[in-house]
């Protein structure tokens, strides 16, 4: 099983700041089958990034993903008020599919 | 518009069974793999099970293997999760999620339902 470790657990930032979220895998994620999801309180998760760096339909370009192998990053270039949420990474290349524990981006 | 509507959750005693359903619309259901993902109260996301477009490939998390069974009825555009021998630790909001392709693996989840709550307690 591929274990995904997200850091930090909580990120306290102000609107307009840059957010950098990390997702580290216990073994290589094949073909960069890594996705990022955003979840707000009381809502279902929403797909942001797939294949490590491809933005999903309708996702603003302030969201970007990078990385390969075992180290992946989600960057939000300038935080908007609606971006404060919990973010999860997921690998979907091998079974069992796994999610990271999440990073909460909160308003400082 | 893609819609995924889960149902069947509720309060159940430990050791009993429950069957969840997910009604899909707005896309060609039998072209896509489908998954169940759960979220315990205040916790993160946990993949539970997935099924390929034609039910040829199925996978389960170790935590539910042997107790849960995923299935689909393409004629009814529906996904199911039969949950047996339920435990307190199965208490969670269960989401139905659509994969972006037909296989069990190699496709991310592009649409999610709103979830159905399962509470296992005596």
């Amino acid at each position: 099983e591929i274990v995904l470790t997200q850091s930090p657990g909580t990120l306290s930032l102000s609107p307009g700041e840059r957010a950098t979220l990390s997702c580290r895998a216990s073994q290589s994620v094949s073909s960069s089958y890594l996705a990022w999801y955003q979840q707000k309180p009381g809502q279902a998760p929403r797909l942001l990034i797939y294949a490590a760096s491809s933005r999903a339909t309708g996702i603003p370009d302030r969201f970007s993903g990078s990385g390969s192998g075992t180290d992946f990053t989600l960057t939000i270039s300038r935080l908007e008020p609606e971006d404060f949420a919990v973010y999860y990474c997921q690998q979907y290349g091998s079974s069992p599919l796994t999610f990271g524990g999440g990073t909460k981006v909160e308003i400082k | 518009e893609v819609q995924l509507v889960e149902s069947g959750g509720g309060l159940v005693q430990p050791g009993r069974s429950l069957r969840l359903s997910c009604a899909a619309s707005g896309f060609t259901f039998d072209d896509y793999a489908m998954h169940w993902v759960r979220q315990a109260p205040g916790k993160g996301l946990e993949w539970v099970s997935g099924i390929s477009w034609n039910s040829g490939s199925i996978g389960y998390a170790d935590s539910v293997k042997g107790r849960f069974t995923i299935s689909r009825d393409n004629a009814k555009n529906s996904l199911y999760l039969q949950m047996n021998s339920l435990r307190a630790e199965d208490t969670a909001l269960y989401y139905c999620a659509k994969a972006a392709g037909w296989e069990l693996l190699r496709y991310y989840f592009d649409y999610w339902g709103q979830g159905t709550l399962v509470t296992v307690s005596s």
Side-chain angles (χ1 to χ4, degrees), chain B residues 5 16 18 22-24 26 40 49 55 64 66 71 86 91 93 99 102 109:
Chain B
V5 180
R16 304 296 292 262
L18 209 57
C22 172
S49 182
S55 305
V64 307
S71 62
L86 282 162
T91 294
L93 185 63
W102 61 95
F109 303 168

Side-chain angles (χ1 to χ4, degrees), chain B residues 43-110:
Chain B
K43 302 297 184 183
L45 302 173
E46 180 189 15
W47 177 76
V48 173
S49 182
I51 186 168
S52 64
W53 68 284
N54 64 351
S55 305
S57 293
I58 286 175
Y60 297 98
D62 286 345
S63 58
V64 307
K65 203 173 292 183
R67 299 188 299 122
F68 289 11
T69 302
I70 192 172
S71 62
R72 63 189 295 162
D73 185 335
N74 287 345
K76 295 184 178 179
N77 289 347
S78 293
L79 176 71
Y80 305 102
L81 187 67
Q82 177 67 41
M83 303 187 296
N84 298 333
S85 303
L86 282 162
R87 306 166 179 167
E89 53 265 36
D90 295 319
T91 294
L93 185 63
Y94 284 74
Y95 292 105
C96 165
K98 171 187 169 295
W102 61 95
E103 294 177 323
L104 176 66
L105 302 176
R106 294 188 287 277
Y107 290 99
Y108 47 90
F109 303 168
D110 54 359

Side-chain angles (χ1 to χ4, degrees), chain A residues 52-69:
Chain A
S53 60
S54 297
R55 261 189 308 277
T57 302
I59 301 303
D61 60 7
R62 64 180 181 273
F63 290 92
S64 64
S66 62
S68 64

Side-chain angles (χ1 to χ4, degrees), chain B residues 5-19:
Chain B
V5 180
E6 302 93 337
S7 61
L11 174 63
V12 61
Q13 293 179 327
R16 304 296 292 262
S17 299
L18 209 57
R19 189 195 196 206

Side-chain angles (χ1 to χ4, degrees), chain A:
Chain A
E1 171 177 330
I2 297 179
V3 176
L4 299 178
T5 302
Q6 291 188 240
S7 61
T10 302
L11 202 49
S12 298
L13 295 168
S14 300
E17 290 194 293
R18 181 185 187 90
T20 303
L21 288 66
S22 173
C23 175
R24 181 160 291 177
S26 60
Q27 54 188 282
S28 184
V29 176
S30 59
S31 302
S32 295
Y33 290 131
L34 188 112
W36 290 92
Y37 300 87
Q38 176 194 67
Q39 187 178 35
K40 297 178 181 178
Q43 296 185 17
R46 177 176 72 143
L47 175 69
L48 297 176
I49 301 287
Y50 63 94
S53 60
S54 297
R55 261 189 308 277
T57 302
I59 301 303
D61 60 7
R62 64 180 181 273
F63 290 92
S64 64
S66 62
S68 64
T70 60
D71 287 296
F72 299 88
T73 301
L74 175 70
T75 302
I76 310 171
S77 58
R78 287 176 57 85
L79 283 163
E80 296 288 341
E82 61 268 28
D83 299 337
F84 291 92
V86 180
Y87 293 83
Y88 295 94
C89 59
Q90 177 212 25
Q91 69 80 21
Y92 50 94
S94 64
S95 189
L97 284 69
T98 48
F99 289 91
T103 290
K104 181 179 181 181
V105 179
E106 65 175 22
I107 300 176
K108 186 174 181 180

